[in-house]
Amino acid sequence: MIHLSNITKQHGSQVLFRDASFQILPGTRSGLVGPNGAGKTSLFRIITGEEEIDAGDITVAKKTTIGYFSQNIGEMSGRSALEEVMAVSAETVRLAGELKQMEEQMGLPMSDDDMAALLERYGSAMEEFEHRGGYDLDSRAKEVLTGLGIGPDRFNNPVESFSGGWRMRVALAGILTLSPDVLLLDEPTNHLDVESIIWLEEWIASEYKGALLMTSHDRDFMNRVVNRIVEVANKTVTTYGGNYDFYERERDIRREQLLASHKRQQEMLAKEEEFIARFAARASHAAQVQSRVKKIEKIERIEIPPEERVVKFEFATPPRSGDDVVAMDNLGKSWLNPDGSVHPIFSGVTGVIKRLSKIAVVGVNGAGKSTFLKTIAGQTDATEGSVSLGANVELGYFSQHAMEILDPKKTIFETVQDVIPLATIGVIRNLLGAFLFQGDDVDKRIENLSGGEKSRVVLATLLARPVNFLVLDEPTNHLDIRSREILLDALENFQGTVILVSHDRHFLRKLVDRVIEVDHGEMRLYEGNYDYYLSKTAHA
């Protein structure tokens, strides 16, 4: 379908690819991985024709439709959610109108030659219309919107009335409804809850017949969906057969083999260079010396790609809290609607959060998970009952809002230094290194950081404090897989209590030992890990 052969692409002085090749074949399910800045987005844009290559060839099979979902969805206005989704399939809608027009023309008198030409055009248009799934376009759009959490009661809502995260779902629904031959998805799970992620997994597995190339920071999603990994790194593209877990194991094996080959080559070169140096001045060995000089000049040197340095930071043991960290008695929260009516979020929650617990709060979008965390953290007042922190509890709260209150003019280093002013430069640099800020990175201003980088700064400041109770609302949002693993490692070793909301199932599976489910205003406690919760609720 799509073949990229020996492509070279450069941005300024940065070489992204040099003589890189890979293929997108019919029905393949590929995950695109690589460090930030390696060229994943550029690869998407090259495939769609938005960027040109400097050298090499790109071949796209005739009549191949390509659908590209990116995080930059542009402006949306003037349509309902359903109309916005249908608009992505504008060519299919145009073909439907053209077919109708030709059908009307067939009822008019015309010559045999004109009728033959009309029928030929009609046949070509009908073939294309059927290939694009034109007959079930409307029902498909409604099914996809519903699967992504936008039900029939909101199909006709103006797209402007949706928040940014929900508009992303509308944009994703448009691309999925298009059902193209090649589907390019850049972080499709970023704004989805677990239910929508599971629906998308099932849709790709059962409904979508084309080829898929996607990036995702959700390890579970990647493992369940793809059967091939395309790695963009070190100026080339490397393909691995298997899911993300297989890729990680195979990548490490290949690196070990490369290191061994490099070591053998270096030993051989050292011997040859020693011989040349020893006998270079002797006329009797001149022919042998020249022969060996030519030999080592022809050898293609094995290059070892730079290894991502991982800094381990030992977080200070926080002060010990009392055994009862949070006590809730008939706790409830309601919002007042604009018309004065009361909208209950949750009610009747009674219980105790014990020291060293690691608890996940789960439930569908809008169930009240974030509000529950805010109530516990004292960010909003309860409307009924009470919540109180136990003895010596020092609380740290993370939310997406925390990124907005960072001082944009300060550097990363200054931001962390403000939190731990007595710490040495070395301690601060080591802490920032653990969160992937190394070298000159620490001098970047907050205003120039991406969402993921800001998240890491906030998390670094949070874990630098002597807190013993962490309340975390979507700490994994915007973080790539490596950053999530670093945070996971930090929280697994955290000698305190954690309660969090996250849509990353791998993260929850590895970390939590209890689950609180929020469902229609009620809360249920599951005294077991995330897998135990799934088994009890049949979500597995």
Side-chain angles (χ1 to χ4, degrees):
M1 295 179 77
I2 299 178
H3 299 260
L4 290 84
S5 305
N6 302 314
I7 64 166
T8 297
K9 177 66 181 178
Q10 190 166 337
H11 284 166
S13 61
Q14 183 190 10
V15 178
L16 295 180
F17 315 115
R18 183 180 290 123
D19 295 328
S21 302
F22 87 103
Q23 301 173 332
I24 300 176
L25 300 174
T28 51
R29 303 282 194 264
S30 307
L32 185 63
V33 303
N36 285 344
K40 298 189 296 294
T41 299
S42 287
L43 202 56
F44 278 143
R45 292 172 62 85
I46 286 168
I47 292 169
T48 59
E50 294 173 54
E51 282 190 26
E52 293 184 357
I53 53 175
D54 300 324
D57 296 299
I58 300 174
T59 308
V60 181
K62 268 189 163 185
K63 294 189 176 180
T64 298
T65 56
I66 299 173
Y68 176 34
F69 170 77
S70 76
Q71 295 297 302
N72 182 21
I73 59 173
E75 288 296 316
M76 286 185 183
S77 62
R79 297 188 182 108
S80 69
L82 183 58
E83 288 168 342
E84 189 71 38
V85 171
M86 297 282 281
V88 179
S89 300
E91 179 62 17
T92 310
V93 174
R94 186 195 67 76
L95 281 167
E98 192 176 300
L99 287 168
K100 186 178 179 182
Q101 190 177 35
M102 285 191 280
E103 285 164 1
E104 290 171 355
Q105 288 175 350
M106 287 175 193
L108 302 174
M110 65 181 75
S111 69
D112 290 347
D113 288 346
D114 288 343
M115 178 60 78
L118 179 60
L119 287 171
E120 187 176 344
R121 290 203 316 275
Y122 183 82
S124 297
M126 177 59 75
E127 184 183 357
E128 179 71 7
F129 183 72
E130 289 177 346
H131 176 71
R132 291 173 175 270
Y135 284 114
D136 62 350
L137 178 62
D138 182 71
S139 61
R140 195 165 69 243
K142 291 174 179 176
E143 178 194 345
V144 171
L145 265 178
T146 303
L148 292 176
I150 300 173
D153 57 324
R154 295 201 285 169
F155 285 171
N156 297 316
N157 288 7
V159 74
E160 300 94 325
S161 67
F162 290 88
S163 67
W166 286 100
R167 286 189 207 183
M168 296 292 277
R169 295 191 188 212
V170 172
L172 177 58
I175 299 297
L176 299 184
T177 299
L178 180 64
S179 199
D181 300 313
V182 178
L183 185 58
L184 308 177
L185 299 178
D186 188 6
E187 297 298 341
T189 61
N190 261 8
H191 298 275
L192 303 184
D193 54 19
V194 172
E195 285 72 20
S196 298
I197 292 171
I198 291 171
W199 177 87
L200 181 56
E201 284 174 3
E202 292 172 350
W203 183 88
I204 290 172
S206 61
E207 298 295 324
Y208 180 61
K209 307 305 179 190
L212 170 71
L213 180 68
M214 70 167 197
T215 63
S216 178
H217 295 156
D218 186 323
R219 189 188 192 106
D220 262 28
F221 182 73
M222 188 85 89
N223 277 331
R224 290 166 187 262
V225 168
V226 308
N227 52 27
R228 191 176 75 143
I229 295 291
V230 177
E231 181 191 52
V232 180
N234 306 311
K235 305 180 182 62
T236 192
V237 178
T238 309
T239 302
Y240 296 77
N243 64 12
Y244 189 83
D245 284 347
F246 173 86
Y247 153 72
E248 275 201 326
R249 292 192 300 270
E250 182 67 16
R251 180 195 59 190
D252 293 343
I253 291 168
R254 290 189 192 185
R255 185 174 180 85
E256 288 301 317
Q257 292 171 340
L258 187 67
L259 288 170
S261 298
H262 179 263
K263 184 181 177 184
R264 286 194 298 270
Q265 188 182 71
Q266 290 301 305
E267 289 170 351
M268 181 271 292
L269 289 171
K271 285 180 182 177
E272 296 294 337
E273 286 163 359
E274 183 187 355
F275 180 91
I276 292 165
R278 181 185 297 175
F279 298 109
R282 297 189 188 182
S284 60
H285 288 74
Q288 288 175 283
V289 168
Q290 281 302 108
S291 172
R292 297 199 182 200
V293 167
K294 288 177 181 176
K295 175 186 171 183
I296 64 174
E297 282 177 350
K298 289 178 182 177
I299 291 173
E300 187 174 341
R301 306 300 170 100
I302 296 171
E303 289 186 25
I304 301 296
E307 190 167 16
E308 292 183 320
R309 196 161 65 94
V310 177
V311 179
K312 285 287 183 183
F313 185 85
E314 293 295 327
F315 293 99
T317 302
R320 193 188 191 286
S321 70
D323 288 339
D324 293 348
V325 175
V326 179
M328 297 166 285
D329 182 21
N330 202 35
L331 182 67
K333 179 67 179 179
S334 309
W335 297 118
L336 274 179
N337 291 321
D339 61 3
S341 61
V342 175
H343 175 63
I345 308 298
F346 60 85
S347 62
V349 181
T350 298
V352 175
I353 294 175
K354 291 290 188 179
R355 176 177 168 269
L356 299 183
S357 296
K358 290 186 168 66
I359 301 171
V361 180
V362 302
V364 298
N365 260 21
K369 303 184 297 293
S370 294
T371 304
F372 178 58
L373 293 193
K374 282 182 182 177
T375 308
I376 287 177
Q379 301 292 310
T380 185
D381 293 330
T383 46
E384 58 185 75
S386 64
V387 57
S388 58
L389 300 183
N392 302 318
V393 172
E394 295 293 335
L395 185 145
Y397 174 63
F398 173 91
S399 73
Q400 301 305 307
H401 176 65
M403 296 192 292
E404 298 167 14
I405 59 176
L406 292 170
D407 187 336
K409 298 301 178 187
K410 287 193 173 179
T411 65
I412 296 171
F413 187 91
E414 290 166 345
T415 302
V416 174
Q417 191 176 43
D418 287 347
V419 175
I420 43 175
L422 301 180
T424 65
I425 291 174
V427 167
I428 294 172
R429 277 192 168 274
N430 202 15
L431 167 63
L432 288 172
F435 283 90
L436 306 181
F437 296 112
Q438 296 164 4
D440 295 338
D441 287 347
V442 303
D443 297 320
K444 286 183 181 177
R445 291 188 185 277
I446 299 296
E447 63 188 352
N448 296 325
L449 302 184
S450 66
E453 288 171 324
K454 287 178 183 175
S455 277
R456 298 204 309 268
V457 171
V458 174
L459 290 165
T461 61
L462 197 57
L463 290 166
R465 296 186 176 105
V467 297
N468 50 31
F469 179 39
L470 290 173
V471 180
L472 308 174
D473 189 8
E474 294 288 1
T476 52
N477 263 15
H478 304 292
L479 298 184
D480 60 22
I481 289 178
R482 185 167 174 237
S483 300
R484 292 181 187 205
E485 292 294 335
I486 288 168
L487 176 60
L488 177 58
D489 183 61
L491 294 180
E492 283 180 318
N493 294 310
F494 176 64
Q495 298 298 304
T497 309
V498 180
I499 185 167
L500 82 159
V501 170
S502 174
H503 295 147
D504 187 321
R505 291 162 292 171
H506 171 76
F507 198 86
L508 298 180
R509 192 173 282 116
K510 288 281 189 179
L511 181 66
V512 306
D513 51 33
R514 285 175 182 76
V515 175
I516 294 174
E517 183 179 49
V518 185
D519 183 22
H520 295 93
E522 296 182 8
M523 290 203 174
R524 289 182 286 276
L525 176 63
Y526 293 84
E527 293 281 358
N529 62 16
Y530 189 67
D531 282 331
Y532 171 82
Y533 158 72
L534 291 177
S535 70
K536 288 294 183 183
T537 56
H539 284 317

